[in-house]
DNA sequence: GATACTTTACTAACTGGTTAGTTATATGTT
DNA sequence: AACATATAACTAACCAGTTAGTAAAGTATC
């Protein structure tokens, strides 16, 4: 029953559930401790404070995303599909990101910005290679794709809360998203390309 | 200095700023009272509790949106443009909606659902009239349009925090959004319409 | 038109419960 | 013993909501 690493993990898991559900301001440290099955003080031994705990968890899961979701500028509908699948199977992380963008004053950590820039650069290359049409700037495309792929998550005010039926047909939804991304990125490659 | 209506309005304004900035859990009633320049108790005379105050404000501003933003199924790029303009000039309301979808347990009020259904029905009619192509279900289209039109607001985790430059060219952004919506809604009307 | 009474708008101080974070102490491990 | 892991008890600050009371404005009565 004495296992530092395991306790730390249980805290992280419990905190993930708590923060995802209630955000930073709404999260209760006592509740995290109870869920983790440990004493509250353990949380303050492993982490500085509530905010740090939140950031640690967000960072950890974001890293996981970057590993699980390779960006494929030559197959953007496929990328959107994978983002959609990920968002549907990881609603907690999507909520965590939503809380973060509302509650955390600081801009996104430098790492995220860098990764974003890499994608934009790759997208520009794909455009120059004729794989993606040049109708839109690469930065616009990336945000548009992410917006479409995550529009049906609970954190979107215009998402499933207004259109509850849509999430009951995830397959149709997935196909529609892929098709929409295709229209935006490959819609008129031939016409405009040269 | 004794003016019930004016005081109530000041409370609503102060609460809008507070809730928009900190959400429900993060909002402080004392701070609202201070901003409104009134005693905290006045808030509890005019409103039941913090949650009710939040709901009242959200409702009030949503009503305003429905009046200011007529839905035009025959001109969806134009509608997206207007939503984009509205979102850019009313970031507080967008944040309020984001907080609501994260913090409020209850589903969206019946009114919002009804308005949504009306739009979906109108969209279906526009499809049958050949004004909008039938590639996508009307419910999908509506959510996709809203997602695109509001993707560059602060509350979107994939929005401006990752792509800060984009919001410096709002005109280009607006045009791109309109163009993207056009591609999705009118992209291949001729081909599929027959 | 002055006086007593009622209602409305407002305030200061308080209450009871909550909460992030700490300290002191105990227990298992090597 | 020495160290790492864990717990219980505690504290100081905070915070939503309440209470009890004051002052202004209106209304009735003479």
């Amino acid at each position: 029953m004495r296992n530092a690493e395991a306790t730390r993990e249980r805290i992280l898991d419990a905190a993930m559930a708590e923060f995802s559900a209630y955000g930073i301001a709404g999260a209760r440290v006592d509740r995290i401790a109870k869920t983790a099955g440990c004493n509250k003080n353990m949380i303050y031994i492993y982490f500085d404070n509530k905010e740090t705990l939140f950031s640690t968890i967000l960072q950890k899961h974001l890293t996981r995303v970057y590993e699980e979701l390779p960006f494929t500028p030559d197959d953007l509908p496929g990328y959107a599909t994978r983002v959609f699948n990920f968002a549907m199977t990881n609603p907690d992380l999507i909520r965590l990101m939503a809380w973060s963008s509302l509650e955390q004053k600081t801009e996104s950590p430098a790492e995220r910005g860098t990764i974003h820039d890499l994608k934009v650069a790759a997208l520009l290359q794909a455009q120059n290679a004729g794989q993606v049409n040049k109708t839109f700037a690469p930065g616009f495309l990336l945000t548009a794709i992410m917006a479409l792929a995550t529009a049906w998550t609970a954190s979107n005010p215009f998402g499933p809360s207004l259109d509850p039926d849509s999430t009951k047909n995830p397959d149709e939804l997935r196909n529609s998203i892929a098709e929409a991304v295709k229209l935006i990125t490959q819609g008129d490659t031939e016409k405009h390309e040269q």
Side-chain angles (χ1 to χ4, degrees), chain A residues 36-69:
Chain A
C38 77
N39 190 274
K40 179 164 65 156
N41 187 241
M42 299 308 294
I43 293 170
Y44 289 97
I45 286 175
Y46 293 122
F47 307 94
D48 282 351
N49 51 43
K50 202 164 85 157
E51 182 99 15
T52 301
L53 179 54
F54 179 90
S55 299
T56 304
I57 290 166
L58 181 62
Q59 195 58 45
K60 171 187 162 188
H61 284 86
L62 281 183
T63 306
R64 183 166 61 88
V65 182
Y66 298 141
E67 289 166 356
E68 286 187 26
L69 285 179

Side-chain angles (χ1 to χ4, degrees), chain A residues 88-102:
Chain A
M88 290 309 252
T89 49
N90 296 277
D92 284 5
L93 178 53
I94 300 292
R95 284 180 63 90
L96 211 66
M97 293 175 69
W99 286 117
S100 172
S101 70
L102 282 174

Side-chain angles (χ1 to χ4, degrees), chain A residues 4-5 10 16 18 40 60 62 84 86 98 103 107 114-115 117 128 135 161 170 185 189 191 193-194:
Chain A
E5 195 53 42
R10 286 205 318 279
M16 175 69 176
E18 179 75 11
K40 179 164 65 156
K60 171 187 162 188
L62 281 183
F84 172 80
F86 186 92
E103 294 191 289
E107 286 302 298
T114 307
I115 288 173
D117 292 342
N128 288 331
T135 310
S161 65
T185 58
T189 308
K191 271 183 275 177
E193 197 176 9
Q194 66 190 16

Side-chain angles (χ1 to χ4, degrees), chain A residues 71 79 115-116 119-120 123 137-147:
Chain A
F71 183 58
Y79 179 66
I115 288 173
H116 180 264
K119 284 178 184 158
V120 168
L123 210 37
F140 173 90
L141 276 182
L142 194 52
T143 302
I145 291 168
M146 296 308 287

